[in-house]
Amino acid sequence: MESPAPEVAGPAAPRRRGRPARPVLSRGKITTAALAVIGRAGYDGLTMAALARELETAPSALYNHVKSKDEVLNWVQDDVNDTIDTTAFGRDPWDLALMRWAHSYRDAFARHSPLIPVIAVLPITGAPHSLAMYERVAGGLAAGGWPEDMVVDVIVAVESFVLGSAMDVAAPEWIFDVGDQRDLAPTFADAVAARPARGPAAADSAFSLGLNALVAGLRGTLAAVRATRG
Amino acid sequence: MESPAPEVAGPAAPRRRGRPARPVLSRGKITTAALAVIGRAGYDGLTMAALARELETAPSALYNHVKSKDEVLNWVQDDVNDTIDTTAFGRDPWDLALMRWAHSYRDAFARHSPLIPVIAVLPITGAPHSLAMYERVAGGLAAGGWPEDMVVDVIVAVESFVLGSAMDVAAPEWIFDVGDQRDLAPTFADAVAARPARGPAAADSAFSLGLNALVAGLRGTLAAVRATRG
């Protein structure tokens, strides 16, 4: 077994001088390496052993920095969530801010599609950037007049649409190809052929249609709730 | 290596009499076994070797019936899609039919959550039940007045919401637990605590809120499109 990579060249390690041969592990380096492994081998391919190989270190050294695969995933989620734009909350009306957030959120996870099913069920406990993101969204919705007891349902509904749409970005262009069974679905086949956009532009088009409708619908819901609750 | 399981006790197999020792493979048996493997080991755990073990047969026998893992997944998708309720299309107004379809679709995939990211990007070519489902939905939308070139975007938008919501059903109850970092997200923590429902009922509540809003928004979109296009 290799010895752990040194973190501090203190008096206990007089043999080593200058830069250590292997880079010192950090949360940032571990997160970047985990994203590389997931991108290549999928979520199931991310093991502590595979992550240690990616970092060119021993598993024992890795365990000095992070206690489990779940903690690594928590860091990865937090890193990706930190790239999501929440700046419109508290500045723009809630509905416009929600749309800007949803666009940025979809783009962030479309770049990391193997993460989507993992992130969808991963607790955010201990993830400071994720907590900061949800705080801004919740604050923007509350300021926009949403009752406190509905705020999380609004967030979850928009997130569900965003994560489903982020998966759709990775769909192949021929996903709706009826092949030689056109007779089973003639109306559908014609509608597929009539779709103006192809590939990523088609995904963008469906996402915009759905997001505009969802947010317009939420505006109506909020108006109805406020009228009812007074 | 074991010999392939016999399909037909024809003259070429005079040694065998009566029922074969192992059940004859069929599309239905292979699909059921594939769902069992995916449920236990995830999508990455579904290999032709694992599927053959589940069916207590040799890989060579399995390959006599299905040519690849992708074909197995196509069958699995088609089997699950066959359970989705499309009966309201052509009977009820498009918006009500869409909601009924979305509820049934979410329930079907919530029961098979490891399939969701796979199905989201899997072509439907050669899947007769899937084609029949899309034909009914496309026909219902067209009959409701949706222009042909928008039908697939409507379907994709609703599917994205449905698949994201089906993932949320599997989320743990403590997914939004702020832990000891309440100071980072006080508004959000209060909103989480104020959520009336917990667990699966919370997922249902967010899904209903979002679906009602999405479909209400789509009603507005259709009215605007018809007014614009004349």
Side-chain angles (χ1 to χ4, degrees):
Chain A
M1 189 192 269
E2 294 176 83
S3 61
E7 278 199 87
V8 180
R15 190 172 55 83
R16 294 183 185 271
R17 285 177 169 274
R19 281 161 54 96
R22 272 172 280 136
V24 171
L25 293 180
S26 65
R27 178 169 165 153
K29 288 202 180 83
I30 293 169
T31 305
T32 304
L35 278 168
V37 173
I38 293 169
R40 209 168 51 228
Y43 163 68
D44 288 339
L46 179 69
T47 60
M48 292 297 269
L51 185 55
R53 274 195 303 277
E54 178 75 20
L55 288 158
E56 298 182 357
T57 192
S60 57
L62 182 58
Y63 278 109
N64 283 339
H65 293 267
V66 62
K67 61 176 183 284
S68 64
K69 173 173 169 173
D70 275 356
E71 188 170 24
V72 173
L73 287 172
N74 181 283
W75 292 359
V76 167
Q77 172 191 47
D78 204 41
D79 229 49
V80 176
N81 281 345
D82 191 34
T83 69
I84 299 172
D85 180 6
T86 57
T87 56
F89 290 103
R91 185 190 68 203
D92 298 340
W94 71 268
D95 48 350
L96 300 185
L98 205 56
M99 291 182 74
R100 190 183 175 106
W101 175 60
H103 271 281
S104 173
Y105 198 157
R106 186 192 72 135
D107 291 349
F109 280 94
R111 282 192 294 272
H112 300 291
S113 53
L115 282 176
I116 298 169
V118 182
I119 296 302
V121 297
L122 199 68
I124 57 166
T125 319
H129 296 124
S130 304
L131 289 167
M133 175 179 85
Y134 286 113
E135 179 65 10
R136 289 192 60 84
V137 181
L141 292 174
W146 280 96
E148 188 178 51
D149 60 319
M150 297 185 75
V151 162
V152 178
D153 278 1
V154 172
I155 292 174
V156 170
V158 174
E159 278 190 321
S160 294
F161 177 65
V162 161
L163 293 179
S165 299
M167 290 194 292
D168 181 52
V169 174
E173 204 165 318
W174 57 91
I175 189 166
F176 291 134
D177 184 355
V178 300
D180 56 5
Q181 295 185 300
R182 200 197 127 78
D183 53 314
L184 290 182
T187 313
F188 180 64
D190 286 347
V192 171
R195 212 176 176 195
R198 290 284 176 275
D204 289 350
S205 168
F207 177 65
S208 291
L209 175 80
L211 182 61
N212 286 334
L214 178 57
V215 172
L218 288 172
R219 258 182 239 123
T221 305
L222 176 57
V225 167
R226 294 183 72 166
T228 311
R229 297 200 189 179
Chain B
M1 189 194 266
E2 295 176 84
S3 61
E7 279 199 84
V8 181
R15 191 173 52 83
R16 294 184 184 271
R17 285 176 168 277
R19 281 163 53 98
R22 272 170 281 139
V24 172
L25 293 181
S26 65
R27 178 169 167 154
K29 287 201 180 82
I30 293 169
T31 305
T32 303
L35 277 168
V37 174
I38 293 169
R40 208 168 52 228
Y43 163 67
D44 289 339
L46 179 68
T47 60
M48 292 296 269
L51 185 54
R53 275 195 303 276
E54 179 75 22
L55 287 158
E56 297 181 359
T57 192
S60 56
L62 182 56
Y63 278 109
N64 284 339
H65 293 269
V66 62
K67 61 176 183 286
S68 65
K69 175 174 169 174
D70 275 356
E71 188 169 24
V72 173
L73 287 172
N74 180 283
W75 292 358
V76 168
Q77 173 191 46
D78 204 41
D79 228 48
V80 177
N81 282 345
D82 191 34
T83 67
I84 299 172
D85 181 6
T86 57
T87 55
F89 290 103
R91 185 191 68 204
D92 298 340
W94 70 269
D95 49 350
L96 301 185
L98 205 55
M99 290 181 74
R100 190 183 174 106
W101 176 60
H103 271 281
S104 172
Y105 197 156
R106 185 191 74 135
D107 292 348
F109 280 94
R111 281 192 294 271
H112 300 291
S113 55
L115 281 178
I116 297 169
V118 182
I119 295 303
V121 297
L122 199 68
I124 57 165
T125 319
H129 296 124
S130 304
L131 288 168
M133 174 180 85
Y134 286 114
E135 179 66 10
R136 288 192 60 85
V137 181
L141 291 174
W146 280 95
E148 189 179 51
D149 60 317
M150 296 185 75
V151 162
V152 178
D153 278 1
V154 172
I155 292 174
V156 170
V158 174
E159 278 189 322
S160 294
F161 177 66
V162 161
L163 293 178
S165 299
M167 289 194 292
D168 181 53
V169 173
E173 204 166 320
W174 57 90
I175 189 167
F176 291 133
D177 184 354
V178 300
D180 56 6
Q181 295 185 299
R182 200 197 127 79
D183 54 317
L184 291 181
T187 314
F188 180 64
D190 285 347
V192 170
R195 212 177 178 193
R198 289 283 175 276
D204 289 350
S205 168
F207 177 66
S208 292
L209 175 80
L211 183 62
N212 286 334
L214 178 57
V215 172
L218 288 172
R219 258 182 238 122
T221 304
L222 177 57
V225 166
R226 296 183 72 165
T228 311
R229 298 199 187 180

